[in-house]
Amino acid sequence: MTNDFMEQANDKSPLTLLGLGAMGTALARTWLAAGYPLTVWNRTAARAEALAPEGAKVAASAAEAVAASELVVLCLLDDASIDATLDGVDLTGKDLVNLTTSTPEQGRARAEWARERGARFVDAGIMAVPPMIGVPEAGGYIFYSGSLELFDAHQEVLAVPVGTKYVGEDAGFAALYDVALLSSMYGMFGGITHALALIGKEDIAAKDLAPLLADWLNAMSSSVHLFAEQFDSGDQEGDSASNLAMQVAGIPTFRDTAAGQGISTELLDPYFDLMKRQLAQSRDANSTGGTVDLLRTR
Ligand SMILES: NC(=O)c1ccc[n+]([C@@H]2O[C@H](COP(=O)([O-])OP(=O)(O)OC[C@H]3O[C@@H](n4cnc5c(N)ncnc54)[C@H](OP(=O)(O)O)[C@@H]3O)[C@@H](O)[C@H]2O)c1
């Protein structure tokens, strides 16, 4: 190692990363490439040792890895694997950043768990897949919530792999934002699946429909803002250009077309049913955003 490189490395604050699966390994490589002193630990040691040639310091145990740095990043499979990894490990004075996917309740409980052990804590939700890590133009980022002091203190190092978005002191919010965005994605996947099923028996290549679908979904994505405005304001008038009664009147067209193509409408039916319930509540309602209220279970 040259003196120049050592000086550069010494400028950067050290960190520890526990968990070197696909995501953890991608994250580790960006910190190593940027010259951050990185201590790593993984349950299966071979995955940690694979990073040693790139400059990672391999700890023999999770406790040794945690002891090596103030900033400790977790990227494990699930909430239970955090207990399995950190049971009995001294966390006093540590800054814990949990990139492990969790529920809002798990994020809040983990914040309390960390506080009881003398550590500051932020939970996180990763809006990226491993190939997007270290590739700024790919647009990935990570939601963070919990201790603002911790986030401010380490924002520079946290921003190395992908962008950062801090969404509040409530440690459950990062997971909530994460699951909200991913849930909307599954709605979109359902729509794409239905569209491809519709053309499935015809002499239409899916790859020919794909660009049309992508452009249409892009054009319709601005509905997000309309729904949000209606939801925030409680506006029931909504968008009279595409009023709810007109949309409900169109439901048989979707059902009959699907039946004609020999496919089920099971992916669309729940949303159609909500639209009908919303219209039944108020004939004047134009706001499909109002259907949000119908989903409340408590
Ligand atoms: N990959 C993605 O596209 C993606 C995207 C967004 C968020 N995430 C989140 O990132 C986290 C890590 O994902 P990943 O893709 O890296 O998963 P992965 O490749 O399956 O790796 C899982 C990691 O967790 C460790 N682990 C599992 N059970 C454990 C236990 N009981 N005790 C200690 N360590 C345990 C594994 O260790 P071993 O090597 O010993 O098995 C491995 O390091 C997950 O919470 C995931 O939801 C992933």
Side-chain angles (χ1 to χ4, degrees):
M1 192 183 285
T2 66
N3 284 342
D4 280 356
F5 181 77
M6 285 178 77
E7 270 170 33
Q8 191 193 5
N10 289 341
D11 275 354
K12 311 236 162 134
S13 52
L15 73 153
T16 285
L17 174 61
L18 305 177
L20 296 166
M23 184 56 80
T25 298
L27 294 166
R29 292 209 153 105
T30 64
W31 280 311
L32 291 169
Y36 283 85
L38 178 70
T39 301
V40 293
W41 174 86
N42 192 63
R43 181 181 60 176
T44 305
R47 284 174 136 170
E49 281 150 13
L51 290 171
E54 295 171 49
K57 187 172 168 226
V58 179
S61 65
E64 186 184 305
V66 168
S69 319
E70 178 189 86
L71 175 59
V72 177
V73 179
L74 310 172
C75 190
L76 298 163
L77 182 65
D78 55 13
D79 191 62
S81 56
I82 299 174
D83 289 320
T85 300
L86 292 180
D87 187 34
V89 172
D90 183 8
L91 300 177
T92 314
K94 298 297 172 184
D95 281 347
L96 280 188
V97 173
N98 182 28
L99 304 184
T100 308
T101 300
S102 48
T103 66
E105 286 312 310
Q106 286 169 337
R108 290 176 187 127
R110 192 57 69 184
E112 181 56 19
W113 174 93
R115 196 190 58 74
E116 287 166 1
R117 286 159 181 76
R120 296 193 294 191
F121 179 83
V122 293
D123 204 45
I126 305 174
M127 304 310 301
V129 292
M132 293 163 75
I133 302 298
V135 184
E137 59 276 21
Y141 62 86
I142 299 182
F143 286 122
Y144 293 94
S145 68
S147 166
L148 182 57
E149 292 77 20
L150 184 166
F151 181 74
D152 282 345
H154 299 292
Q155 189 178 4
E156 193 180 319
V157 59
L158 295 176
V160 169
V162 274
T164 61
K165 287 191 202 297
Y166 179 80
V167 290
E169 299 256 1
D170 184 329
F173 274 15
L176 189 58
Y177 276 72
D178 182 6
V179 173
L181 266 59
L182 293 177
S183 300
S184 74
M185 177 191 76
Y186 282 115
M188 182 182 75
F189 286 173
I192 295 169
T193 303
H194 184 86
L196 293 179
L198 276 178
I199 63 154
K201 284 187 183 160
E202 309 297 341
D203 186 18
I204 304 171
K207 72 173 174 45
D208 293 337
L209 188 72
L212 302 171
L213 267 181
D215 286 352
W216 179 244
L217 290 172
N218 276 335
M220 286 294 99
S221 69
S222 63
S223 323
V224 168
H225 304 293
L226 182 67
F227 274 46
E229 274 166 31
Q230 291 173 349
F231 185 62
D232 282 343
S233 67
D235 170 24
Q236 290 296 307
E237 295 302 313
D239 174 14
S240 56
S242 308
N243 74 73
L244 185 60
M246 174 279 290
Q247 293 194 57
V248 169
I251 290 173
T253 303
F254 290 88
R255 294 209 162 118
D256 292 347
T257 302
Q261 296 301 110
I263 69 157
S264 153
T265 53
E266 65 195 290
L267 289 169
L268 301 184
D269 287 339
Y271 194 69
F272 286 158
D273 291 345
L274 273 182
M275 286 163 63
K276 286 164 124 177
R277 280 166 58 201
Q278 166 72 358
L279 189 66
Q281 284 193 357
S282 166
R283 294 298 308 174
D284 298 330
N286 282 334
S287 165
T288 45
T291 52
V292 172
D293 279 336
L294 297 175
L295 290 178
R296 291 188 198 285
T297 56
R298 63 182 160 87

Short mmCIF file of all heavy atoms in Angstrom, two decimals, residues 18-25 41-45 47 75-78 80-82 84-85 99-102 125-131 178, ligand 1:
data_model
loop_
_atom_site.label_atom_id
_atom_site.label_comp_id
_atom_site.label_asym_id
_atom_site.label_seq_id
_atom_site.Cartn_x
_atom_site.Cartn_y
_atom_site.Cartn_z
N LEU A 18 -21.94 -6.26 8.79
CA LEU A 18 -22.29 -7.64 9.13
C LEU A 18 -23.30 -8.13 8.10
O LEU A 18 -24.37 -7.54 7.95
CB LEU A 18 -22.91 -7.72 10.53
CG LEU A 18 -22.12 -7.13 11.68
CD1 LEU A 18 -22.92 -7.23 12.98
CD2 LEU A 18 -20.80 -7.85 11.84
N GLY A 19 -22.96 -9.20 7.39
CA GLY A 19 -23.87 -9.75 6.38
C GLY A 19 -23.33 -9.49 4.99
O GLY A 19 -23.30 -8.34 4.53
N LEU A 20 -22.87 -10.56 4.35
CA LEU A 20 -22.26 -10.42 3.03
C LEU A 20 -22.95 -11.34 2.03
O LEU A 20 -22.31 -12.14 1.34
CB LEU A 20 -20.76 -10.72 3.11
CG LEU A 20 -19.98 -9.73 3.98
CD1 LEU A 20 -18.59 -10.27 4.29
CD2 LEU A 20 -19.90 -8.36 3.32
N GLY A 21 -24.27 -11.23 1.98
CA GLY A 21 -25.01 -11.88 0.91
C GLY A 21 -24.83 -11.05 -0.36
O GLY A 21 -23.87 -10.27 -0.48
N ALA A 22 -25.77 -11.20 -1.29
CA ALA A 22 -25.65 -10.48 -2.56
C ALA A 22 -25.61 -8.98 -2.33
O ALA A 22 -24.78 -8.25 -2.91
CB ALA A 22 -26.83 -10.85 -3.47
N MET A 23 -26.48 -8.49 -1.44
CA MET A 23 -26.55 -7.05 -1.20
C MET A 23 -25.36 -6.57 -0.37
O MET A 23 -24.72 -5.56 -0.71
CB MET A 23 -27.87 -6.70 -0.49
CG MET A 23 -28.09 -5.23 -0.27
SD MET A 23 -28.02 -4.24 -1.79
CE MET A 23 -29.65 -4.49 -2.48
N GLY A 24 -25.06 -7.28 0.72
CA GLY A 24 -23.96 -6.87 1.58
C GLY A 24 -22.63 -6.83 0.82
O GLY A 24 -21.83 -5.91 0.99
N THR A 25 -22.40 -7.82 -0.03
CA THR A 25 -21.15 -7.86 -0.80
C THR A 25 -21.07 -6.68 -1.76
O THR A 25 -20.01 -6.04 -1.89
CB THR A 25 -21.04 -9.20 -1.56
OG1 THR A 25 -20.99 -10.25 -0.59
CG2 THR A 25 -19.79 -9.26 -2.42
N TRP A 41 -17.92 -9.18 8.63
CA TRP A 41 -18.18 -10.49 9.22
C TRP A 41 -19.36 -11.08 8.48
O TRP A 41 -20.29 -10.37 8.10
CB TRP A 41 -18.51 -10.39 10.72
CG TRP A 41 -18.92 -11.72 11.29
CD1 TRP A 41 -18.10 -12.69 11.79
CD2 TRP A 41 -20.25 -12.24 11.39
NE1 TRP A 41 -18.84 -13.78 12.20
CE2 TRP A 41 -20.16 -13.53 11.96
CE3 TRP A 41 -21.52 -11.76 11.03
CZ2 TRP A 41 -21.28 -14.34 12.19
CZ3 TRP A 41 -22.63 -12.56 11.25
CH2 TRP A 41 -22.50 -13.83 11.83
N ASN A 42 -19.30 -12.39 8.28
CA ASN A 42 -20.44 -13.10 7.70
C ASN A 42 -20.51 -14.47 8.34
O ASN A 42 -19.48 -15.08 8.68
CB ASN A 42 -20.25 -13.25 6.18
CG ASN A 42 -21.53 -13.72 5.51
OD1 ASN A 42 -22.54 -13.01 5.55
ND2 ASN A 42 -21.51 -14.90 4.90
N ARG A 43 -21.75 -14.96 8.53
CA ARG A 43 -21.94 -16.27 9.18
C ARG A 43 -21.12 -17.34 8.46
O ARG A 43 -20.42 -18.13 9.09
CB ARG A 43 -23.44 -16.63 9.19
CG ARG A 43 -23.74 -17.94 9.85
CD ARG A 43 -25.22 -18.23 9.80
NE ARG A 43 -25.72 -18.30 8.41
CZ ARG A 43 -26.95 -18.61 8.09
NH1 ARG A 43 -27.85 -18.86 9.04
NH2 ARG A 43 -27.34 -18.67 6.81
N THR A 44 -21.20 -17.34 7.14
CA THR A 44 -20.37 -18.25 6.35
C THR A 44 -19.08 -17.50 6.01
O THR A 44 -19.09 -16.57 5.19
CB THR A 44 -21.11 -18.67 5.06
OG1 THR A 44 -22.38 -19.22 5.43
CG2 THR A 44 -20.31 -19.68 4.25
N ALA A 45 -18.00 -17.90 6.66
CA ALA A 45 -16.78 -17.08 6.65
C ALA A 45 -16.21 -16.87 5.24
O ALA A 45 -15.61 -15.82 4.96
CB ALA A 45 -15.73 -17.72 7.55
N ARG A 47 -17.46 -16.00 2.55
CA ARG A 47 -17.94 -14.79 1.87
C ARG A 47 -17.19 -13.55 2.37
O ARG A 47 -17.02 -12.59 1.64
CB ARG A 47 -19.44 -14.62 2.07
CG ARG A 47 -20.25 -15.57 1.20
CD ARG A 47 -21.72 -15.49 1.53
NE ARG A 47 -22.55 -15.45 0.34
CZ ARG A 47 -23.87 -15.57 0.36
NH1 ARG A 47 -24.52 -15.72 1.49
NH2 ARG A 47 -24.55 -15.53 -0.77
N CYS A 75 -26.63 -6.00 7.23
CA CYS A 75 -27.35 -6.34 6.00
C CYS A 75 -27.58 -7.84 6.00
O CYS A 75 -26.95 -8.59 5.24
CB CYS A 75 -26.59 -5.87 4.76
SG CYS A 75 -27.59 -6.01 3.26
N LEU A 76 -28.49 -8.26 6.88
CA LEU A 76 -28.76 -9.68 7.09
C LEU A 76 -30.09 -10.05 6.43
O LEU A 76 -30.79 -9.20 5.90
CB LEU A 76 -28.77 -9.98 8.59
CG LEU A 76 -27.41 -9.68 9.26
CD1 LEU A 76 -27.56 -9.57 10.77
CD2 LEU A 76 -26.39 -10.74 8.89
N LEU A 77 -30.42 -11.33 6.50
CA LEU A 77 -31.59 -11.80 5.77
C LEU A 77 -32.89 -11.19 6.30
O LEU A 77 -33.70 -10.68 5.53
CB LEU A 77 -31.65 -13.33 5.86
CG LEU A 77 -32.79 -14.00 5.11
CD1 LEU A 77 -32.63 -13.79 3.60
CD2 LEU A 77 -32.86 -15.48 5.44
N ASP A 78 -33.08 -11.28 7.62
CA ASP A 78 -34.35 -10.84 8.21
C ASP A 78 -34.12 -10.47 9.67
O ASP A 78 -33.01 -10.61 10.20
CB ASP A 78 -35.42 -11.93 8.08
CG ASP A 78 -34.98 -13.25 8.69
OD1 ASP A 78 -33.97 -13.27 9.43
OD2 ASP A 78 -35.62 -14.27 8.43
N ALA A 80 -35.00 -11.82 12.43
CA ALA A 80 -34.55 -12.90 13.33
C ALA A 80 -33.04 -13.11 13.22
O ALA A 80 -32.38 -13.46 14.22
CB ALA A 80 -35.29 -14.20 12.98
N SER A 81 -32.48 -12.91 12.04
CA SER A 81 -31.03 -13.13 11.89
C SER A 81 -30.22 -12.06 12.61
O SER A 81 -29.04 -12.27 12.91
CB SER A 81 -30.63 -13.26 10.41
OG SER A 81 -31.04 -12.15 9.68
N ILE A 82 -30.85 -10.91 12.92
CA ILE A 82 -30.14 -9.88 13.71
C ILE A 82 -29.96 -10.39 15.14
O ILE A 82 -28.87 -10.28 15.72
CB ILE A 82 -30.93 -8.55 13.71
CG1 ILE A 82 -31.07 -8.04 12.28
CG2 ILE A 82 -30.23 -7.52 14.60
CD1 ILE A 82 -31.96 -6.81 12.15
N ALA A 84 -29.91 -13.50 16.04
CA ALA A 84 -28.97 -14.63 15.98
C ALA A 84 -27.52 -14.12 15.93
O ALA A 84 -26.62 -14.73 16.49
CB ALA A 84 -29.26 -15.50 14.76
N THR A 85 -27.32 -12.96 15.29
CA THR A 85 -25.96 -12.43 15.09
C THR A 85 -25.48 -11.62 16.29
O THR A 85 -24.31 -11.71 16.68
CB THR A 85 -25.94 -11.54 13.82
OG1 THR A 85 -26.32 -12.34 12.71
CG2 THR A 85 -24.57 -10.94 13.58
N LEU A 99 -29.84 -2.23 7.55
CA LEU A 99 -30.31 -2.29 6.16
C LEU A 99 -31.14 -3.54 5.89
O LEU A 99 -31.64 -3.72 4.78
CB LEU A 99 -29.11 -2.27 5.19
CG LEU A 99 -28.13 -1.10 5.30
CD1 LEU A 99 -27.08 -1.19 4.22
CD2 LEU A 99 -28.86 0.24 5.20
N THR A 100 -31.26 -4.40 6.89
CA THR A 100 -32.05 -5.63 6.76
C THR A 100 -33.52 -5.26 6.58
O THR A 100 -34.06 -4.47 7.35
CB THR A 100 -31.89 -6.46 8.04
OG1 THR A 100 -30.50 -6.62 8.32
CG2 THR A 100 -32.57 -7.81 7.92
N THR A 101 -34.16 -5.83 5.58
CA THR A 101 -35.57 -5.51 5.35
C THR A 101 -36.40 -5.92 6.56
O THR A 101 -36.27 -7.04 7.07
CB THR A 101 -36.09 -6.26 4.10
OG1 THR A 101 -35.31 -5.84 2.97
CG2 THR A 101 -37.55 -5.96 3.84
N SER A 102 -37.26 -4.99 7.01
CA SER A 102 -38.08 -5.29 8.18
C SER A 102 -39.44 -4.64 8.01
O SER A 102 -39.68 -3.91 7.05
CB SER A 102 -37.40 -4.78 9.45
OG SER A 102 -36.95 -3.46 9.27
N GLY A 125 -34.56 1.08 4.39
CA GLY A 125 -35.22 0.28 3.35
C GLY A 125 -34.49 0.53 2.04
O GLY A 125 -34.36 1.68 1.60
N ILE A 126 -34.00 -0.54 1.45
CA ILE A 126 -33.14 -0.39 0.26
C ILE A 126 -33.99 -0.38 -1.00
O ILE A 126 -34.64 -1.39 -1.33
CB ILE A 126 -32.12 -1.55 0.17
CG1 ILE A 126 -31.30 -1.65 1.46
CG2 ILE A 126 -31.22 -1.37 -1.05
CD1 ILE A 126 -30.37 -2.87 1.50
N MET A 127 -33.97 0.73 -1.73
CA MET A 127 -34.71 0.82 -2.99
C MET A 127 -33.73 0.61 -4.15
O MET A 127 -33.47 1.50 -4.97
CB MET A 127 -35.41 2.18 -3.11
CG MET A 127 -36.34 2.51 -1.96
SD MET A 127 -37.52 1.20 -1.55
CE MET A 127 -38.40 1.02 -3.08
N ALA A 128 -33.17 -0.57 -4.19
CA ALA A 128 -32.18 -0.90 -5.22
C ALA A 128 -31.96 -2.40 -5.19
O ALA A 128 -32.26 -3.07 -4.20
CB ALA A 128 -30.85 -0.19 -4.94
N VAL A 129 -31.44 -2.93 -6.28
CA VAL A 129 -30.98 -4.32 -6.32
C VAL A 129 -29.45 -4.26 -6.46
O VAL A 129 -28.90 -3.21 -6.82
CB VAL A 129 -31.63 -5.11 -7.49
CG1 VAL A 129 -33.12 -5.29 -7.23
CG2 VAL A 129 -31.40 -4.42 -8.82
N PRO A 130 -28.76 -5.38 -6.14
CA PRO A 130 -27.29 -5.30 -6.09
C PRO A 130 -26.62 -4.68 -7.32
O PRO A 130 -25.68 -3.88 -7.15
CB PRO A 130 -26.88 -6.75 -5.85
CG PRO A 130 -28.02 -7.31 -5.03
CD PRO A 130 -29.25 -6.68 -5.62
N PRO A 131 -27.07 -4.94 -8.56
CA PRO A 131 -26.36 -4.31 -9.69
C PRO A 131 -26.48 -2.78 -9.71
O PRO A 131 -25.73 -2.12 -10.44
CB PRO A 131 -27.06 -4.92 -10.93
CG PRO A 131 -27.70 -6.17 -10.44
CD PRO A 131 -28.09 -5.90 -9.02
N ASP A 178 -40.60 1.93 2.29
CA ASP A 178 -40.09 0.82 1.46
C ASP A 178 -41.24 -0.08 1.01
O ASP A 178 -41.44 -0.34 -0.19
CB ASP A 178 -39.07 0.03 2.32
CG ASP A 178 -38.40 -1.12 1.60
OD1 ASP A 178 -38.61 -1.28 0.39
OD2 ASP A 178 -37.65 -1.86 2.25
N1 LIG B 1 -30.83 -8.53 -3.05
C1 LIG B 1 -31.74 -7.60 -3.29
O1 LIG B 1 -32.18 -7.40 -4.43
C2 LIG B 1 -32.26 -6.75 -2.15
C3 LIG B 1 -32.92 -5.55 -2.45
C4 LIG B 1 -33.39 -4.76 -1.42
C5 LIG B 1 -33.24 -5.17 -0.10
N2 LIG B 1 -32.58 -6.36 0.16
C6 LIG B 1 -32.46 -6.76 1.56
O2 LIG B 1 -31.11 -6.88 1.93
C7 LIG B 1 -30.97 -7.92 2.93
C8 LIG B 1 -29.90 -8.88 2.47
O3 LIG B 1 -30.31 -9.39 1.20
P1 LIG B 1 -29.31 -10.24 0.30
O4 LIG B 1 -29.81 -10.11 -1.08
O5 LIG B 1 -27.92 -9.94 0.63
O6 LIG B 1 -29.68 -11.71 0.84
P2 LIG B 1 -28.81 -13.05 0.71
O7 LIG B 1 -27.93 -13.00 -0.48
O8 LIG B 1 -29.78 -14.17 0.84
O9 LIG B 1 -27.88 -13.01 2.01
C9 LIG B 1 -28.44 -13.16 3.30
C10 LIG B 1 -27.39 -12.80 4.32
O10 LIG B 1 -27.93 -12.99 5.63
C11 LIG B 1 -27.10 -13.92 6.34
N3 LIG B 1 -27.92 -14.70 7.25
C12 LIG B 1 -29.07 -15.36 6.99
N4 LIG B 1 -29.54 -15.94 8.10
C13 LIG B 1 -28.66 -15.64 9.09
C14 LIG B 1 -28.60 -15.96 10.47
N5 LIG B 1 -29.55 -16.68 11.07
N6 LIG B 1 -27.55 -15.48 11.18
C15 LIG B 1 -26.58 -14.74 10.59
N7 LIG B 1 -26.58 -14.41 9.29
C16 LIG B 1 -27.62 -14.86 8.54
C17 LIG B 1 -26.46 -14.77 5.26
O11 LIG B 1 -25.31 -15.39 5.77
P3 LIG B 1 -24.72 -16.71 5.05
O12 LIG B 1 -23.83 -16.22 3.94
O13 LIG B 1 -24.00 -17.40 6.14
O14 LIG B 1 -25.90 -17.50 4.54
C18 LIG B 1 -26.13 -13.68 4.23
O15 LIG B 1 -25.02 -12.91 4.65
C19 LIG B 1 -32.35 -8.58 3.08
O16 LIG B 1 -33.02 -8.07 4.22
C20 LIG B 1 -33.05 -8.16 1.79
O17 LIG B 1 -34.46 -8.09 1.94
C21 LIG B 1 -32.08 -7.14 -0.83
#
